[in-house]
Amino acid sequence: MDPALRALIHPTLDFSSWIAKRSNLAFDSGATDKGRGCFAALAVTARLIGIAYLVFLGSAWAAEFRSVAVNGAILYDGPSFKATRVYLVGKQYPLEVISRSGEWIKVRDANGDLSWIAANTLSEKRTVLVTVAVADIREAPQETSAIVFRAEKNVVLDLVEPPSSTWIRVRHRDGQSGYVRLDQIWGL
């Protein structure tokens, strides 16, 4: 877990000791069996609440991606058609959603640049962008597997399945599919 996230929730993430410090129950000094059982139940409950909280934060902080739904979508420096035109991106190009303002969405591209795009030009279809000079797309999610095809930098690939460990299944627009390493693509 990210240390910054851990510190946000509680410096040690030890909810049972946190409860023990704030309660009169203790494992020594003559506490009754009933008191120990109550403390144990409270400690387990606190740990479960902590885990649920972490799961919620993890899903709330997960990046949201969309792909461009039209040919030649324009990215602007502000949420308006009157704003300065910054980039022109092709169909299926993946963009990370940062925020929304009415009919406009603030996005980040693969270079890390922020801009605005009209919401109606985006699709929920998931795509990824090759970020290395040449990515080997393999038959199975392992380095020793046969190469199905190679994709050059900035080629857009369709996301076929959610990632598993360090690989993801993708498909090229010509129909070929296979697995690529996560460190060779952007858009997840």
Side-chain angles (χ1 to χ4, degrees), residues 11-188:
T12 63
L13 258 186
D14 186 358
F15 292 100
S16 57
S17 64
W18 181 80
I19 289 172
K21 289 177 188 174
R22 285 154 183 80
S23 69
N24 294 328
L25 299 172
F27 286 107
D28 55 304
S29 67
T32 66
D33 286 339
K34 190 175 186 179
R36 281 190 207 106
C38 180
F39 175 76
L42 194 56
V44 168
T45 302
R47 285 181 190 266
L48 290 174
I49 290 170
I51 290 168
Y53 186 65
L54 291 176
V55 168
F56 169 75
L57 282 179
S59 64
W61 287 355
E64 178 185 353
F65 285 86
R66 298 281 188 262
S67 63
V68 175
V70 298
N71 291 320
I74 300 170
L75 300 177
Y76 296 87
D77 68 352
S80 167
F81 289 113
K82 293 179 183 178
T84 303
R85 295 175 181 192
V86 182
Y87 301 109
L88 182 66
V89 291
K91 189 172 185 173
Q92 294 189 339
Y93 187 88
L95 294 167
E96 180 183 3
V97 174
I98 304 301
S99 65
R100 292 176 171 80
S101 177
E103 296 299 314
W104 290 87
I105 298 178
K106 187 175 190 177
V107 294
R108 181 185 340 260
D109 64 23
N111 296 323
D113 296 327
L114 297 174
S115 53
W116 291 85
I117 189 169
N120 64 356
T121 62
L122 291 180
S123 165
E124 297 213 11
K125 181 178 181 178
R126 294 296 307 274
T127 61
V128 294
L129 186 74
V130 175
T131 57
V132 295
V134 177
D136 293 333
I137 314 307
R138 299 187 177 270
E139 215 171 68
Q142 53 194 10
E143 288 293 331
T144 57
S145 182
I147 296 173
V148 177
F149 69 96
R150 289 189 165 103
E152 294 182 359
K153 186 173 184 167
N154 294 324
V155 168
V156 174
L157 302 168
D158 293 339
L159 179 66
V160 176
E161 296 172 2
S164 62
S165 67
T166 59
W167 295 86
I168 186 167
R169 187 158 184 222
V170 295
R171 180 176 30 252
H172 191 273
R173 68 179 176 200
D174 69 6
Q176 292 179 307
S177 66
Y179 294 86
V180 64
R181 287 194 346 244
L182 291 177
D183 61 353
Q184 296 182 333
I185 50 108
W186 182 86
L188 294 175

